[in-house]
Amino acid sequence: MKKILKELAISLKVTLGLLLVCSGLYPLLVWAGGQLLFPKQANGSLVYDANGGVVGSELIGQAFVGDRYFHPRPSAAGKGYDAASSSGSNLGPTSQSLHDNIAANVKSYREENGLDANSEVPADAVTASGSGLDPHISPENATIQARRVAKARNIPMEELRVLIDKATDGPDLGMFGEARVNVLVLNLELDRR
Amino acid sequence: MRGHDWLQLMLFVGTLLLVTKPLGLYLQQVITPNGKTFLDRIIGPLERLTYRCCGIDPLREQGRREYGISLLAFSLIGLAFTFACLRWQSHLPLNPQGLPDLTTDLAFNTAVSFLTNTNWQSYGGESTMSYFSQMVALASHNFTSAAAGIAVAATLIRGLSRASSQTLGNFWTDLVRVTYYVLLPICVVYALFLVGQGIPQNFKPYDTAQLVQAQMVTGTDNKSQELKEQSIVQGPIASQIAIKMLGTNGGGYANANAAHPYENPTPLSNFFQMLSIFAIPAALTYTFGRMVRNQKHGWTVWAAMFTLFIAGVLVCWRAESAGNPIHQHLGVAISDGNMEGKETRFGIFNSALFATVTTDASCGAVNAMHDSFTPLGGLIPLFNMQTGEVIFGGVGAGLYGMLIYVILAVFIAGLMVGRTPEYLGKKIESFDVKMCVMILTVLAICILGLTAWAGVSKWGLAGLNNQGPHGFSEILYAYSSCVGNNGSAFAGLTANTPWYNYTLSLAMLVGRFFMIALILAMAGNLGAKKILPSSAGTLQVHGITFTILIVGSVVLIGALTFVPVLVLGPVVEHFLMTAGKLF
């Protein structure tokens, strides 16, 4: 019994000691280093408007509707793109609700973009992302939407193409991951034009 | 399955192979109490200060009982501390969002979850945990539970490498040295890299963004209302993500875990997160080989793990690329695969690879929602967890878990040729085999028993997000994940109810401490034995034949137990999906 009490006493001291180092020193060190080396990223890669107000984050998607904007992916975060409540749909492959959601998304995507009733649509355009905050869409998806946006905003296609390319990232280092178009960045470019 | 994806797979495998040896050699120095590392000058003073303040004699060795008592005492204090922090979160500092206290069952479940290196999350991170809870109550366990896992693996290695020894090392020394020399220094560099990739590290309140285009949403009263703002999560995220991956913890800062753009912003951060999950478990096989003076055996264990890993990746990747015929029938492009629950920047391949890696190792972080995987794609994570997390596995836990199968493989091979089995010069006798079999049996009973219980109970079925066989898979996944100390989920399951919180806590505690107790018993027993010189009749424990033996024992002894439930869940669902059946 005495032995166990002694072990508990050591445990308490070690717990406190490691807390100071792992939960105090360490996060503060990363905080100081991060704020010094990468201040923009360390504060959330925020995007500001002309008056210095926060309009969003480059990394966090926002909802957009209507012909004048590029649309992001469907979102299951809260009521859609709720950045304080990230989530996927978590609906399984044989789910009736998932089937119905996708069917509705396919229908409206085809209508909005003037596609044939039996044309294939890009998967990312009609499925919800894992986080519900995916800031990106696939280049194929952007290309299809470009026709609609060009018409609504009366921009020549070539000019819009340049804007899309500006908002597109290739695979990291040419090798890792997928090419993707940042919807918020692209739409802000459109408004700024 | 494009060429670009094969290239990424080769890069991943190549890098893993490259880090195994140097990190393994480094780990060997760390788990040797007076080992030499290049960080001695910087960390040495801090280490000695810690020993002095806590009254630890770093060179005093402990026997298996004493070692176990130290570990349990330390765990008990950690559990009580974290429980208290969460239960009374609102009275503690660093809570700019004013988040409320957790309920008793949720606080207990979460404290157990982080203590056992499971990091199962019954809660949604950003909407539940204050900065203090994240950084102090939870992240401290990310370090110590990982270090404790490596410490237990070290005792088993010592038991196998020492002759006629009554001691297994000192728990406190192992704990402190692993934390200070391995986890902390790697994490500092790694976390800064992650900040550079875009993971925030700050202490400001959540930002409020004025939306570019106001959003129409349906309110609670079914009327549509205009939403003009977006509340954006902030906090000390990067420091937590680094250790969450390196320590194979997997507890996300946000609900969406590594799918959240703030937790895993780029494919490059994704690559390093996957690598950091596997790095220490892979390196430990090298440390093991070196310490038992049979490096070829260390690599053989590595190869067996690798074989099981690659097989899993290929099946999962193929199933996800093939996609869901039901959705393709609606018009979703066939070549895009199954993108539900996946992020655009990762695509099919990196989601499938991450899912395999995180469930092979007992990490449990997810960069895509496993619940929305195709049935066969989701079967792989389930299968991986049910092997007992031995495919590289958790830090430390993976190695000691795998050695159970290795000892059983030696035992079975010994039976086949009719001689007393010997493993690395140690006679494998009835006590050792009993321990191994008991571990595997109890874990399997725990998974299957609890699944069956929840599957026929009102409280079990109330939490389901999906019906039909998929609902069954959700329950099976939860208990497999908790017993295996993995922590990933078919996240549609609403597990934040007292019944689920307590039964899952039980599963996690058994999966962790029952296993550790038996491993320590076996390590002590093996350490006390003589080391016999090898002779012409000794079974060779390296080479292709022995690799096949290990893989065979994992598949036949471990996974075969679960074939019936896997048939009831994912396999049935696969055929129903092909037939177009919906629930």
Side-chain angles (χ1 to χ4, degrees), chain B residues 142-165:
Chain B
N142 285 357
F143 281 97
T144 53
S145 67
I150 297 176
V152 174
T155 65
L156 188 56
I157 298 178
R158 291 181 192 124
L160 283 164
S161 62
R162 292 175 177 181
S164 316
S165 162

Side-chain angles (χ1 to χ4, degrees), chain A residues 3-4 7-8 10-15 17-19 21-23 26-31 33-35 37-38 41-46 54-57 59-66 69 73 79-81 83-99 102-103 106 110 119-124 126-138 171-180 184 188 191, chain B residues 2 4 7-8 11 53-54 56 66 69-70 73-74 77 81 126-127 135-136 140 143-144 172 175 179-180 184 187-188 191-192 195-196 198-204 207-213 215 217-218 230-234 239 242 254-256 259-262 265-268 271 324 326-327 330-334 336 339-347 350 369 371-373 375 465-466 470 491-492 573 577 581-583:
Chain A
K3 179 119 199 67
I4 291 177
E7 290 297 315
L8 283 173
I10 298 182
S11 303
L12 202 59
K13 284 186 264 184
V14 174
T15 303
L18 291 182
L19 271 178
V21 177
C22 300
S23 300
Y26 161 65
L28 287 177
L29 202 64
V30 177
W31 173 75
Q35 295 288 341
L37 296 171
F38 312 105
Q41 289 93 323
N43 291 307
S45 311
L46 298 175
V54 179
V55 293
S57 162
L59 294 175
I60 306 289
Q62 283 183 18
F64 284 98
V65 292
Y69 286 114
R73 300 180 61 182
K79 288 169 184 161
Y81 287 95
S85 149
S86 59
S87 175
S89 74
N90 283 314
L91 293 171
T94 52
S95 156
Q96 179 76 50
S97 338
L98 180 59
H99 169 272
I102 291 182
V106 169
R110 281 176 179 153
S119 59
E120 279 197 339
V121 300
D124 66 293
V126 293
T127 53
S129 63
S131 61
L133 304 174
D134 195 340
H136 300 114
I137 55 176
S138 68
D172 289 5
L173 307 179
M175 288 178 289
F176 300 106
E178 310 291 320
R180 64 253 186 219
L184 178 64
L188 284 172
D191 277 353
Chain B
R2 306 160 303 177
H4 168 227
L7 174 72
Q8 293 181 75
L11 276 169
C53 292
C54 300
I56 296 165
E66 209 186 332
I69 290 173
S70 294
F74 180 69
I77 296 285
F81 171 78
E126 67 269 52
S127 54
M135 189 173 87
V136 179
S140 60
F143 281 97
T144 53
W172 305 113
L175 179 76
T179 308
Y180 284 2
L184 268 173
C187 277
V188 170
L192 281 174
V195 176
I199 304 190
Q201 177 79 4
N202 57 55
F203 295 97
K204 60 181 181 177
D207 277 299
T208 304
Q210 301 299 323
L211 289 174
V212 178
Q213 186 188 34
Q215 188 183 350
V217 296
T218 318
Q230 187 184 39
S231 170
I232 301 179
V233 167
Q234 298 295 339
S239 57
N255 185 41
H260 196 294
Y262 271 170
T266 63
L268 197 60
F271 181 81
N324 186 333
I326 297 175
H327 302 157
L330 294 172
V332 176
I334 292 172
D336 285 354
M339 280 301 283
E340 180 69 26
K342 295 188 180 63
E343 299 284 299
T344 311
R345 60 195 181 283
F346 305 138
N350 279 300
M369 295 303 127
D371 214 348
S372 298
F373 273 30
N465 186 43
N466 287 278
H470 199 79
E573 196 189 12
M577 177 185 81
K581 173 98 177 109
L582 293 169
F583 292 92

Side-chain angles (χ1 to χ4, degrees), chain B residues 296-343:
Chain B
K296 279 187 189 160
H297 177 55
W299 281 116
T300 302
V301 173
W302 191 96
M305 292 172 164
F306 179 76
T307 309
L308 288 160
F309 157 67
I310 281 292
V313 172
L314 294 179
V315 174
C316 187
W317 174 20
R318 206 190 126 69
E320 293 309 299
S321 319
N324 186 333
I326 297 175
H327 302 157
Q328 286 160 354
H329 191 69
L330 294 172
V332 176
I334 292 172
S335 57
D336 285 354
N338 172 29
M339 280 301 283
E340 180 69 26
K342 295 188 180 63
E343 299 284 299

